[in-house]
Amino acid sequence: MDIAAMAEKIAAGDRRSLSRAITLVESGRADHRADAVALLETLAQREGPEALRIGLSGTPGVGKSTFIESFGMMLTGMGLRVAVLAVDPSSARSGGSILGDKTRMERLSRDPNAFIRPSPSQSQLGGVARRSREAVALCEAAGFDVVLVETVGVGQSETMVAEMTDLFLLLLAPAGGDELQGVKRGIMEMADMILINKADGELKSTATRTCADYAGALRLLRKRPQDPEGFPKAMTVSAVEETGLQAAWDEMQALAEWRRETGHFAGRRADQARYWFGEDVRNGLLAQLATGEAKARMAQLADAVAAGDMTATAAAEDMLAALRD
Ligand code: GDP
């Protein structure tokens, strides 16, 4: 594979090459992995404009695809190029992706300034997330102005998405006060903005109330150094009526701008690079335990421990010593 030529095409905005490159980073084959590493390295050497990476989380049904479609169309209407990726933990379990449905975001998927990539099906959330992070880097290298990374609000996926984006949005539906408890504190703490969707028709007043509740809850959280006055912020939007989207975008830009000026933007990306480096090393070590000689030795020692021939402590020492050799 000609890595330099592929990098050139991606940087020139060639969509076919971008798609092929994402397939490459998603592949589990060792030779593909080597090419992917080289490609990412080559692209990282280039000086390109920085994308705004936006993470979006919300439980099924809150209107993520409708929002991305409306919001994405608004952005492409402004002349911006928008990429949409998904990290879908359910695909890790079922092998099929609920975020991969082609019929979602129909208008946006036909827009020449948009690029939509469904979630890969992989066996592990960690693996899916790492590859999504690499796909984000590829989209950025391809010159997209905005890269949206969508995830379903379950489990660890929010953390992963927050670790690969500059801004993290939580999309919620209008609900009674009781349900405020339903959003885990940890997820609230990750959010830069909470958007209460479906602020239209009969739901409008409930949405306004829900928004005020969350604004209050956000004020109670510990102040984070990466936030200017007034952030994290709660706002209402309607993805269907396409209202509040411009205001939300203005706030996202203001926040990103403030973080750029204060160094928090670059700081967050640096912390994320650190995080993924550590994750890759840890995952690599775990993978090593599950293959070849190490796997056999693990099994052997586990049997010895189970039979009472060795203590767990001694066996673990033995295993670690073998890995060091
Ligand atoms: P997702 O599962 O989070 O991707 O949610 P969808 O985008 O598929 O939307 C779920 C349902 O909510 C659909 O029936 C949408 O038409 C509806 N919906 C999405 N956005 C809005 C909105 O702004 N207002 C109203 N009233 N309904 C919406």
Side-chain angles (χ1 to χ4, degrees):
M1 169 176 241
D2 187 345
I3 301 290
M6 186 150 186
E8 208 55 52
K9 281 191 186 159
I10 291 168
D14 180 59
R15 305 165 69 96
R16 283 266 292 286
S17 300
L18 175 61
S19 288
R20 280 183 52 214
I22 296 178
T23 304
L24 184 70
V25 301
E26 286 170 358
S27 167
R29 266 174 52 182
D31 56 332
H32 287 168
R33 196 67 218 145
D35 283 344
V37 170
L39 179 63
L40 289 163
E41 192 64 28
T42 306
L43 287 168
Q45 311 288 322
R46 301 178 68 102
E47 288 281 321
E50 197 172 63
L52 183 60
R53 306 171 172 182
I54 303 174
L56 177 74
S57 173
T59 47
V62 307
K64 287 182 301 304
S65 19
T66 314
F67 174 82
I68 291 172
E69 169 124 310
S70 303
F71 186 67
M73 293 297 291
M74 180 187 79
L75 296 180
T76 58
M78 295 171 181
L80 296 172
R81 295 178 68 224
V82 179
V84 180
L85 305 168
V87 175
D88 179 3
S90 67
S91 71
R93 260 174 273 129
S94 64
S97 172
I98 57 165
L99 296 180
D101 187 344
K102 279 279 179 197
T103 60
R104 291 170 8 113
M105 306 174 211
E106 224 175 297
R107 281 186 301 149
L108 192 62
S109 63
R110 284 196 305 268
D111 190 321
N113 281 326
F115 175 86
I116 301 179
R117 179 79 181 192
S119 178
S121 34
Q122 289 291 336
S123 56
Q124 258 190 359
L125 178 57
V128 174
R130 183 186 74 197
R131 282 150 193 168
S132 300
R133 187 203 175 234
E134 292 166 352
V136 169
L138 291 171
C139 290
E140 184 159 17
F144 284 93
D145 302 293
V146 175
V147 182
L148 277 165
V149 188
E150 173 192 15
T151 191
V152 179
V154 283
Q156 259 198 299
S157 64
E158 280 100 350
T159 315
M160 301 282 188
V161 170
E163 286 290 353
M164 64 180 88
T165 51
D166 305 310
L167 304 180
F168 188 72
L169 313 181
L170 184 58
L171 199 64
L172 298 175
D178 294 353
E179 291 182 45
L180 200 135
Q181 313 298 324
V183 177
K184 289 195 206 79
R185 190 190 165 93
I187 293 168
M188 288 259 294
E189 284 171 344
M190 264 187 262
D192 294 307
M193 286 172 66
I194 291 182
L195 301 178
I196 314 297
N197 189 33
K198 309 193 183 182
D200 51 49
E202 285 180 355
L203 290 169
K204 192 163 184 172
S205 59
T206 317
T208 307
R209 230 175 312 126
T210 306
C211 183
D213 288 347
Y214 279 100
L218 286 172
R219 276 193 294 274
L220 295 178
L221 295 178
R222 191 159 38 89
K223 174 129 179 63
R224 308 179 304 180
Q226 69 269 32
D227 292 326
E229 205 47 50
F231 281 91
K233 177 165 286 197
M235 299 177 78
T236 56
V237 294
S238 167
V240 164
E241 292 190 348
E242 304 185 5
T243 51
L245 302 178
Q246 178 68 54
W249 173 238
D250 290 344
E251 294 293 347
M252 288 176 222
Q253 283 182 295
L255 176 58
E257 195 49 43
W258 186 87
R259 287 187 179 164
R260 281 198 183 96
E261 281 167 9
T262 53
H264 288 292
F265 196 96
R268 177 164 170 156
R269 287 206 176 184
D271 288 344
Q272 291 173 343
R274 242 181 238 285
Y275 171 86
W276 290 102
F277 160 69
E279 278 291 291
D280 266 12
V281 172
R282 276 185 290 276
N283 287 333
L285 287 174
L286 287 177
Q288 207 181 317
L289 282 184
T291 47
E293 256 178 66
K295 183 182 178 185
R297 190 162 188 128
M298 279 290 280
Q300 215 175 19
L301 288 166
D303 287 345
V305 168
D309 297 338
M310 266 179 116
T311 64
T313 312
E317 276 304 315
D318 198 286
M319 186 66 218
L320 290 170
L323 286 176
R324 275 194 293 271
D325 292 341

